[in-house]
Amino acid sequence: MSRGTSEAFFDVVEWAAEQSWSSGKVGLLGISYYAGSQWRVAARQPKGLAAIVPWEGMSDYYRDRCRHGGIFSNKFINFWWNRQVVSNQYGLPGRAARNWGPDCVDGDVSDEEREKSRQDQNIDNLNNRYRDDEYYASKEYDMGDIQVPLLSVANWGGILLHLRGNVEGYLQAGSEFKYLRVITGRHDLPFYYNEEVEVQRSFLDAFLKGDDRVGWSVKGKVPAVDLVLRKGDVGFDNAAAEKVYERRTENEWPIARTLYTKFYLTPEKSFTQVRPVVTRPQKLSYEALGSLEDPKLLQFATPPFEQETEITGHIVAHLNVSMSPHANGSTPSDIDLFLTLRYISPSGKEVNYTGTAGDPIPLAKGWLRVSMRKINTSHPRHREWLPHRDYFSTDVQPVIPGDVYPVDVEIWPTNVVIEKGGKIVFEVSGGDTQGSGIFQHNHPEDRSEKKLAGMNHVSFSERYVNWVSLPIIPPR
């Protein structure tokens, strides 16, 4: 995702468009890294680029991949670095012998030389914390500069990588013809399903060959948004079972008829549309440094829904939080908030969905480092349903024990059709909880005991009202 890579990609597109065997029109299709890089080259507007299909590909390197709410997403970067970069680096000996592909034309390159040639993302992302650090700033671009036809494909299961980027990329692109398609399933499979390959083919044929058998190039003929609706408990990592999910088209995103509805948290740990009457100040507490192996959390549950209700779109949680040190412990200087939404079926069982790696995941997650709570309300991308943070070094604000801080936390978009009798659980925790998988935030330096250890609190009073805005979709 470096500037140099984007510039090289630009050159390759323009080169391909000028070749004698080329029609002069170039299309980009790819998943994951091969999707995330498309946003950046399209924004540079290379000559000949005619259409792009970023399939499950982050568009915002800082917010989507590296630092969720300012918190270092170290586990995946380490996983990806070792499996995809170091193990495939140019000059690695014995590739042909392992049946990993041909050996390098320059022969084997020593371990020492290969190490010198690497720019380790584990180190870079730990040492750079803010978007105005050169490391992150050098990768920024204006999504509005994307002008070519765009098919952005998001996956409801990508709750810790890619999903946000595909939605935001679609929203911010300046393309006249742009479409958002949302799928389910593992990260590595739907891209190759026959029906999805035909979607890819028809879109590229329309803009590269002029063979538009669907109507992609006719304004208004193909609905801008095509969603899969998650209703019922079909299990997880079961592609055949997920085919029972219905699809529905919409003309825009977010859906115009969305009713952003506040569900209030109460000191009794309920989660209700009725604003609570709190006669005296109260607070609920939990340990500040939980982990996936030892979670520390609060959970708030709705009463059973009295009728089927669809939630589709963006979510914001408004919380009033504080922290305090343990007796004889160091004085903490920050709060890391980990938020999760879970769906409980009418039978009382939590419904798990298919995550990126085929693992069981909940509905949605969101994060915030409270020292990075500053919101830029004057930014053109700030919306009531999606608060905009710059994450600049100049935005850092103090967090003092005992002081209560009202914060608005972005939770990534989601979809669920809540069945009659089903419930929603809202979870506040001090670290990763079930559903985080390989996308954990547990680097000992980024989440140090000295900075974070203690107790976190959610405060309730007439002044401190806590709520979550859920996007409820009424039937047409």
Side-chain angles (χ1 to χ4, degrees), residues 183-296:
I183 60 173
T184 59
R186 277 168 32 183
H187 179 56
D188 59 342
L189 292 182
F191 183 73
Y192 303 101
Y193 293 168
N194 289 337
E195 61 270 26
E196 300 298 343
V197 168
E198 186 48 43
V199 170
Q200 300 160 19
R201 191 200 315 273
S202 68
F203 182 80
L204 292 172
D205 281 354
F207 294 106
L208 299 182
K209 297 182 176 180
D211 175 15
D212 191 359
R213 50 196 178 273
V214 173
W216 297 106
S217 61
V218 180
K219 197 67 178 174
K221 184 165 185 183
V222 176
V225 178
D226 193 324
L227 309 169
V228 67
L229 303 174
R230 299 190 296 185
K231 178 180 177 179
D233 185 358
V234 304
F236 66 93
D237 201 16
N238 187 333
E242 288 175 342
K243 291 186 184 300
V244 305
Y245 289 146
E246 295 182 2
R247 301 196 68 89
R248 187 183 69 223
T249 58
E250 298 286 346
N251 294 320
E252 70 289 307
W253 182 273
I255 299 169
R257 62 185 184 281
T258 303
L259 301 175
Y260 293 100
T261 306
K262 289 182 179 178
F263 281 69
Y264 297 92
L265 311 183
T266 76
E268 295 75 35
K269 298 184 181 178
S270 62
F271 187 36
T272 173
Q273 290 187 55
V274 179
R275 178 169 173 161
V277 177
V278 182
T279 57
R280 59 182 178 82
Q282 300 178 58
K283 62 185 178 184
L284 298 177
S285 305
Y286 61 96
E287 287 279 351
L289 266 178
S291 66
L292 190 60
E293 297 76 26
D294 185 21
K296 308 294 184 183

Side-chain angles (χ1 to χ4, degrees), residues 286-428:
Y286 61 96
E287 287 279 351
L289 266 178
S291 66
L292 190 60
E293 297 76 26
D294 185 21
K296 308 294 184 183
L297 52 86
L298 300 171
Q299 287 188 331
F300 303 82
T302 65
F305 277 68
E306 296 179 358
Q307 62 184 25
E308 184 174 288
T309 303
E310 178 186 338
I311 293 174
T312 302
H314 297 263
I315 302 160
V316 177
H318 179 82
L319 302 176
N320 298 279
V321 298
S322 63
M323 50 80 163
S324 58
H326 288 306
N328 303 317
S330 60
T331 301
S333 58
D334 217 332
I335 303 169
D336 282 355
L337 294 173
F338 291 73
L339 308 182
T340 303
L341 278 178
R342 304 183 183 278
Y343 173 49
I344 310 300
S345 74
S347 69
K349 175 193 171 196
E350 180 177 354
V351 178
N352 287 310
Y353 301 94
T354 304
T356 295
D359 49 326
I361 60 164
L363 283 177
K365 286 185 178 286
W367 310 264
L368 180 65
R369 178 156 286 165
V370 173
S371 60
M372 301 298 295
R373 62 190 176 274
K374 184 178 179 182
I375 293 173
N376 184 355
T377 56
S378 63
H379 196 282
R381 285 170 62 175
H382 174 75
R383 288 143 286 181
E384 190 174 346
W385 40 269
L386 184 55
H388 180 83
R389 289 185 167 87
D390 292 319
Y391 294 106
F392 293 159
S393 56
T394 51
D395 293 336
V396 178
Q397 296 179 321
V399 181
I400 308 298
D403 287 356
V404 178
Y405 299 96
V407 294
D408 290 331
V409 186
E410 171 192 352
I411 297 176
W412 285 16
T414 193
N415 160 267
V416 64
V417 178
I418 303 166
E419 300 153 294
K420 181 179 178 181
K423 299 178 181 180
I424 294 291
V425 168
F426 176 69
E427 178 181 282
V428 183

Side-chain angles (χ1 to χ4, degrees), residues 19-268:
Q19 299 310 298
S20 59
W21 42 259
S22 173
S23 68
K25 292 184 177 181
V26 177
L28 305 179
L29 169 68
I31 186 170
S32 201
Y33 183 94
Y34 307 106
S37 54
Q38 289 180 46
W39 304 105
R40 289 159 178 78
V41 72
R44 292 172 180 268
Q45 301 180 2
K47 197 179 301 181
L49 185 61
I52 64 172
V53 186
W55 191 287
E56 290 193 58
M58 59 176 173
S59 58
D60 188 322
Y61 184 73
Y62 184 97
R63 297 179 182 88
D64 300 346
R65 182 181 194 265
C66 299
R67 287 196 165 261
H68 295 151
I71 305 169
F72 182 22
S73 179
N74 59 290
K75 193 76 172 179
F76 175 73
I77 291 173
N78 182 264
F79 172 87
W80 176 83
W81 179 256
N82 288 312
R83 282 177 60 98
Q84 301 294 341
V85 179
V86 176
S87 64
N88 291 294
Q89 189 178 356
Y90 183 82
L92 189 72
R95 288 176 58 86
R98 292 184 179 91
N99 198 29
W100 285 3
D103 287 327
C104 301
V105 295
D106 296 317
D108 295 347
V109 177
S110 70
D111 293 348
E112 293 77 14
E113 286 299 310
R114 293 201 316 280
E115 186 174 1
K116 287 179 186 176
S117 299
R118 296 196 291 263
Q119 189 70 30
D120 194 325
Q121 285 195 8
N122 295 286
I123 297 171
D124 289 339
N125 282 288
L126 175 64
N127 292 339
N128 295 276
R129 295 181 290 168
Y130 311 112
R131 273 186 62 244
D132 54 343
D133 291 339
E134 184 181 356
Y135 174 72
Y136 291 115
S138 67
K139 306 174 195 309
E140 291 290 340
Y141 63 102
D142 185 347
M143 293 182 186
D145 289 339
I146 298 171
Q147 300 289 320
V148 296
L150 159 69
L151 174 60
S152 177
V153 181
N155 189 326
W156 289 133
I159 64 172
L160 294 109
L161 182 65
H162 297 318
L163 169 59
R164 181 190 188 278
N166 278 107
V167 174
E168 273 292 275
Y170 164 79
L171 277 171
Q172 302 303 327
S175 308
E176 178 184 5
F177 295 98
K178 61 178 183 177
Y179 302 91
L180 175 65
R181 181 175 179 84
V182 189
I183 60 173
T184 59
R186 277 168 32 183
H187 179 56
D188 59 342
L189 292 182
F191 183 73
Y192 303 101
Y193 293 168
N194 289 337
E195 61 270 26
E196 300 298 343
V197 168
E198 186 48 43
V199 170
Q200 300 160 19
R201 191 200 315 273
S202 68
F203 182 80
L204 292 172
D205 281 354
F207 294 106
L208 299 182
K209 297 182 176 180
D211 175 15
D212 191 359
R213 50 196 178 273
V214 173
W216 297 106
S217 61
V218 180
K219 197 67 178 174
K221 184 165 185 183
V222 176
V225 178
D226 193 324
L227 309 169
V228 67
L229 303 174
R230 299 190 296 185
K231 178 180 177 179
D233 185 358
V234 304
F236 66 93
D237 201 16
N238 187 333
E242 288 175 342
K243 291 186 184 300
V244 305
Y245 289 146
E246 295 182 2
R247 301 196 68 89
R248 187 183 69 223
T249 58
E250 298 286 346
N251 294 320
E252 70 289 307
W253 182 273
I255 299 169
R257 62 185 184 281
T258 303
L259 301 175
Y260 293 100
T261 306
K262 289 182 179 178
F263 281 69
Y264 297 92
L265 311 183
T266 76
E268 295 75 35

